[in-house]
Amino acid sequence: MASVVTSFDPYAWYPRQYVAQRVTQHLVIDGDVEKEAWRSVPWSDAFGDIQGKDGPSPADIPLTAFKALYDDTHLYICAVLHPKDGLPTEAHFTERNQPIYQKDSDFEVFIQVGYPNEDGSGTTWNHDYKELEINAINTPWNLLMDKPYWDGGQEHSGRVASDPADPLYYEVYHQETATRVLSGQLNHPTHGALWTVEMKLAFSDLWVQKSDTTTPTHQPSLSVPWRINFSRVEKQGAINWTWQPQYRWDPQQNQFRGFVDMHLPDAWGYLSFDQPIIDSTWPAQLAAMCIYYAQRHHQEANGEFTKDVNILILPPHIMDDFRVDIQLGDPDHYVASIVDATGNVHVQIRQDRRLTIVTNRTSAIDQQ
């Protein structure tokens, strides 16, 4: 007899977390990951297949891991990428802001910080996140995604626009990167290389949104964990090893499973500063994202979104601890509000994946 699910534990799906330590000494960015500043800093969990347990066996995945530090103005990241027999380490792009992964072995960083809404209603996530790709000869590609590709997002970068006045232009101004090849050989047909990367990422660059390429309006808060993920790409994307597997709810198969898609910012890990921080809004966020994926599936099957949460394909019992209200706009828009039993946690999700952690609670569902 099949077992009956009687409860749902959202923390079973809580992402990995890495705690960045504060650094007080000056770091020279030169690709040396064994310098004094890094020696006492713990390595992250080793990277695995992007699909996690739903991907190929991890037995033959070479070691890839990162470390992180921070100070008042910058986030520092270093990583080591070990070779694999029979896998070349490709490094051909030499011009900045070229699509590194399409040809070269590639280390990628994805970061999103929460943006305060213009109306002061809360903090927005899943939009305006940053991506940095780099190859073994220190050629970087920086881009800003206004939202994920699946939601109609566009790349903003120096690759797609050269004029700073162009709405699709994006560049960083206070970033430093360096790489080192420690052993092996680049671009050998059968042998790879052991290489390292070191990065200095300015908070001011990470906080800029697409409408302002030079001066951020706020400094990112370090008291709230950021979302972050890392990816190692080989063979033009045929291989993708990541720190945090990209798990999400799949209503078509009625289960959580791994996907080959780095542009799922809701599935990234957490980066906290100085000490671990558990995001108390996580259960509501997870419920909101399950509604988002279920609504997409419902619209694809029926041609419209629904305001009835009971007909959506959702994990059993995930809504037991929440009040849910779905307001429909025109046929292509909705806003779903998820409020916990205490009324202290309120999360909203839209059809374009824009998630808001509401702090100024004036909606009807808060007053029920």
Side-chain angles (χ1 to χ4, degrees):
M1 177 182 291
S3 61
V4 177
V5 177
T6 58
S7 64
F8 181 84
D9 178 11
Y11 287 102
W13 298 99
Y14 196 80
R16 287 175 172 169
Q17 181 173 190
Y18 186 90
V19 180
Q21 301 179 11
R22 176 178 283 276
V23 63
T24 56
Q25 58 188 288
H26 175 68
L27 262 70
V28 176
I29 304 303
D30 57 7
D32 178 8
V33 303
E34 296 187 351
K35 62 171 66 104
E36 182 180 354
W38 290 114
R39 287 177 189 168
S40 63
V41 181
W43 286 104
S44 70
D45 293 329
F47 290 20
D49 186 83
I50 189 172
Q51 299 169 88
K53 62 180 176 57
D54 299 313
S57 168
D60 59 350
I61 295 179
L63 176 63
T64 306
F66 74 91
K67 297 182 178 184
L69 291 165
Y70 80 100
D71 59 22
D72 290 336
T73 56
H74 290 82
L75 174 67
Y76 302 87
I77 292 168
C78 76
V80 61
L81 296 85
H82 284 254
K84 170 180 166 60
D85 289 342
L87 181 65
T89 302
E90 305 285 356
H92 303 281
F93 283 108
T94 59
E95 184 178 347
R96 184 182 183 86
N97 290 330
Q98 294 300 298
I100 307 296
Y101 79 95
Q102 293 183 7
K103 192 174 186 180
D104 290 353
S105 300
D106 174 26
F107 183 75
E108 304 178 354
V109 183
F110 294 78
I111 297 178
Q112 63 164 324
V113 296
Y115 291 98
N117 295 349
E118 293 180 359
D119 61 4
S121 61
T123 307
T124 294
W125 299 85
N126 294 341
H127 284 197
D128 294 317
Y129 57 87
K130 311 303 190 304
E131 178 183 353
L132 166 59
E133 301 189 10
I134 195 165
N135 65 10
I137 54 175
N138 196 32
T139 305
W141 174 25
N142 286 277
L143 57 151
L144 177 154
M145 289 296 301
D146 53 9
K147 52 188 172 183
Y149 289 111
W150 202 29
D151 302 292
Q154 290 183 289
E155 170 194 336
H156 298 244
S157 74
R159 183 180 80 93
V160 298
S162 58
D163 183 355
D166 191 313
L168 291 180
Y169 181 82
Y170 170 73
E171 187 53 277
V172 297
Y173 298 94
H174 308 285
Q175 174 179 290
E176 297 178 36
T177 62
T179 59
R180 286 192 180 190
V181 176
L182 303 184
S183 65
Q185 184 178 342
L186 300 179
N187 305 320
H188 188 282
T190 58
H191 298 351
L194 170 62
W195 62 287
T196 62
V197 59
E198 192 176 22
M199 303 173 172
K200 180 180 180 180
L201 310 180
F203 291 161
S204 57
D205 289 330
L206 297 176
W207 194 243
V208 164
Q209 293 174 271
K210 59 183 178 294
S211 61
D212 179 1
T213 60
T214 58
T215 306
T217 55
H218 297 82
Q219 186 75 356
S221 172
L222 303 185
S223 63
V224 176
W226 301 0
R227 302 304 295 270
I228 196 167
N229 208 355
F230 300 82
S231 175
R232 176 179 173 180
V233 177
E234 306 280 359
K235 291 189 174 181
Q236 298 81 49
I239 291 175
N240 197 326
W241 297 314
T242 65
W243 170 59
Q244 169 68 35
Q246 292 294 87
Y247 290 123
R248 70 163 177 83
W249 175 244
D250 182 0
Q252 187 169 3
Q253 294 195 16
N254 202 18
Q255 63 178 331
F256 286 92
R257 68 183 185 93
F259 283 80
V260 184
D261 185 356
M262 282 302 296
H263 293 272
L264 304 177
D266 46 283
W268 297 347
Y270 278 108
L271 176 71
S272 59
F273 300 88
D274 288 328
Q275 61 184 354
I277 300 174
I278 300 299
D279 186 350
S280 62
T281 68
W282 166 255
Q285 288 190 54
L286 182 62
M289 292 313 305
C290 288
I291 288 176
Y292 164 83
Y293 290 114
Q295 281 277 38
R296 284 202 63 131
H297 177 70
H298 183 86
Q299 192 223 27
E300 290 167 359
N302 301 281
E304 61 183 6
F305 295 118
T306 180
K307 63 184 302 181
D308 185 357
V309 69
N310 295 308
I311 67 174
L312 294 174
I313 301 174
L314 295 167
H317 302 288
I318 194 170
M319 297 302 165
D320 286 357
D321 296 327
F322 301 104
R323 290 172 289 148
V324 180
D325 176 68
I326 302 176
Q327 297 293 325
L328 300 179
D330 59 55
D332 297 323
H333 297 81
Y334 72 87
V335 176
S337 293
I338 299 92
V339 179
D340 74 351
T342 68
N344 294 324
V345 177
H346 181 173
V347 171
Q348 291 183 334
I349 189 70
R350 296 192 325 198
Q351 74 290 330
D352 60 355
R353 205 189 304 244
R354 184 177 186 267
L355 184 143
T356 299
I357 299 174
V358 181
T359 53
N360 182 17
R361 302 182 180 94
T362 59
S363 70
I365 192 171
D366 282 313
Q367 300 168 11
Q368 292 176 4

